Amino acid sequence: CDWSSDVCSSDLNSLRLKDVNFSLKLRDKKDIYPQNMVAINNMRYRNISAEMGDISVIRDSVNVVIEKFAAKEYSGLEVKNISGKFTVSPRTIIAKNANLKTLNSDLYFDAKMNTATWKTYSKFIDSVYCEGEIKKGSVAGMKDATYWAEVIKGFEQKASVSGKFRGTVSNLICDEMEVRTGRDTYVKAKGTIVGLPDPDSTIYDLEAETIQTSYQDYKSMQLGELLGNLPIPEMVGKLGKINMTAHFAGLIKNFDASAILKTQIGDIDVVGSSINNGKTTTYYAD
């Protein structure tokens, strides 16, 4: 290394990994292994393979171009490939022109993560500030999210997605989010989500600038136990294609919401809310 300059050079120009196992167990004495979910405190990866090139070290930062990276988590989550240009340091991780492929998703993105030290990466949900963009052409398979959040169990719908985000996982702001799925469904939205990964205490403040869908399209989707069992009467199918603007604020079981719907047989202005007393949830609508 030439320590008089910013560049530390070495003979390591490329790196290849094959059939590597990796585990991360946090020192919190919580030996929790939920079925079909990633154990946040006890992550276990196997069959890791990778091909990397253009490796350089500048002060405390490592720059690398990842050509291939694959891994399987014990829960069933499988990363088919990660590629892109990455910079890793004790305080920052940067991904440029990155691509993430799983069994269900194909995401193209730029992202940056900031934190205080290496140690705070282990407290990712609260201590790592993220900002980035999911680019048009990306496909999100929501089954991947079910490995991290039990509340959306059974949610397996795939959708074309794009948008921008910033904040921590526990305090996230989303802008210019666009989702297309099914035959008729399109959503453009923005908002904040505070409280993840605890679904019962997560507060949403979401504004849908545009929602286009139909009852038939909605019923054909794989939306899991949370949304798939909503008591929507079949007579809603007579509305045809629906265009809507909406706002949702509060908890899943205690919220205020409003919407303006334009349908093929007429328009309706709806204001709704819910109250949960610990045993039952009561819904109100005008």
Side-chain angles (χ1 to χ4, degrees), residues 97-159:
N97 297 321
N99 176 229
L100 168 64
K101 286 186 173 70
T102 71
L103 291 177
N104 308 286
S105 303
D106 188 6
L107 302 176
Y108 298 87
F109 62 94
D110 294 325
K112 183 177 182 181
M113 295 182 288
N114 294 323
T115 189
T117 66
W118 279 116
K119 292 182 179 180
T120 51
Y121 278 119
S122 65
K123 301 178 181 178
F124 187 88
I125 291 172
D126 300 311
S127 302
V128 179
Y129 184 90
C130 307
E131 58 181 322
E133 178 182 4
I134 301 173
K135 299 178 180 179
K136 292 184 182 297
S138 296
V139 175
M142 298 312 297
K143 181 175 175 58
D144 289 335
T146 66
Y147 290 110
W148 303 91
E150 187 175 10
V151 69
I152 54 176
K153 180 181 179 181
F155 200 140
E156 299 187 5
Q157 186 68 22
K158 291 187 177 183

Side-chain angles (χ1 to χ4, degrees), residues 1-246:
C1 291
D2 180 5
W3 299 107
S4 63
S5 68
D6 287 341
V7 178
C8 176
S9 60
S10 69
D11 294 329
L12 182 62
N13 295 318
S14 62
L15 175 66
R16 177 177 292 176
L17 302 176
K18 184 178 181 180
D19 294 332
V20 176
N21 294 334
F22 171 79
S23 63
L24 174 63
K25 186 172 184 178
L26 302 185
R27 296 178 180 176
D28 55 9
K29 298 181 180 180
K30 294 182 179 179
D31 293 328
I32 301 173
Y33 297 96
Q35 187 175 9
N36 300 322
M37 291 184 62
V38 175
I40 301 296
N41 300 337
N42 303 286
M43 289 187 284
R44 297 164 291 174
Y45 290 90
R46 57 187 172 86
N47 300 129
I48 300 173
S49 61
E51 294 183 13
M52 309 178 188
D54 294 338
I55 301 171
S56 64
V57 180
I58 302 176
R59 295 190 182 277
D60 62 353
S61 299
V62 178
N63 300 291
V64 59
V65 173
I66 299 179
E67 299 169 1
K68 296 180 181 179
F69 182 94
K72 297 178 180 179
E73 214 281 328
Y74 188 83
S75 61
L77 175 66
E78 182 174 348
V79 176
K80 299 291 289 184
N81 192 44
I82 297 176
S83 62
K85 185 175 182 180
F86 296 82
T87 298
V88 180
S89 75
R91 295 181 177 85
T92 305
I93 296 177
I94 300 173
K96 293 183 178 180
N97 297 321
N99 176 229
L100 168 64
K101 286 186 173 70
T102 71
L103 291 177
N104 308 286
S105 303
D106 188 6
L107 302 176
Y108 298 87
F109 62 94
D110 294 325
K112 183 177 182 181
M113 295 182 288
N114 294 323
T115 189
T117 66
W118 279 116
K119 292 182 179 180
T120 51
Y121 278 119
S122 65
K123 301 178 181 178
F124 187 88
I125 291 172
D126 300 311
S127 302
V128 179
Y129 184 90
C130 307
E131 58 181 322
E133 178 182 4
I134 301 173
K135 299 178 180 179
K136 292 184 182 297
S138 296
V139 175
M142 298 312 297
K143 181 175 175 58
D144 289 335
T146 66
Y147 290 110
W148 303 91
E150 187 175 10
V151 69
I152 54 176
K153 180 181 179 181
F155 200 140
E156 299 187 5
Q157 186 68 22
K158 291 187 177 183
S160 298
V161 298
S162 63
K164 299 178 180 179
F165 59 89
R166 64 187 189 277
T168 62
V169 172
S170 61
N171 190 352
L172 188 64
I173 300 172
C174 301
D175 294 306
E176 301 177 28
M177 302 298 296
E178 294 188 46
V179 178
R180 294 183 184 273
T181 188
R183 295 180 57 185
D184 303 320
T185 301
Y186 168 72
V187 178
K188 183 177 181 180
K190 61 182 180 180
T192 61
I193 305 173
V194 180
L196 290 175
D198 184 356
D200 292 330
S201 62
T202 297
I203 300 173
Y204 301 87
D205 188 351
L206 306 176
E207 180 181 352
E209 301 173 18
T210 302
I211 299 178
Q212 298 173 356
T213 190
S214 66
Y215 174 81
Q216 289 76 13
D217 210 25
Y218 175 84
K219 295 300 291 185
S220 70
M221 296 181 191
Q222 297 175 290
L223 300 180
E225 298 175 2
L226 179 64
L227 297 177
N229 294 326
L230 287 179
I232 300 178
E234 292 185 9
M235 62 177 291
V236 175
K238 297 180 179 180
L239 300 178
K241 289 187 178 180
I242 299 170
N243 288 274
M244 177 171 59
T245 59

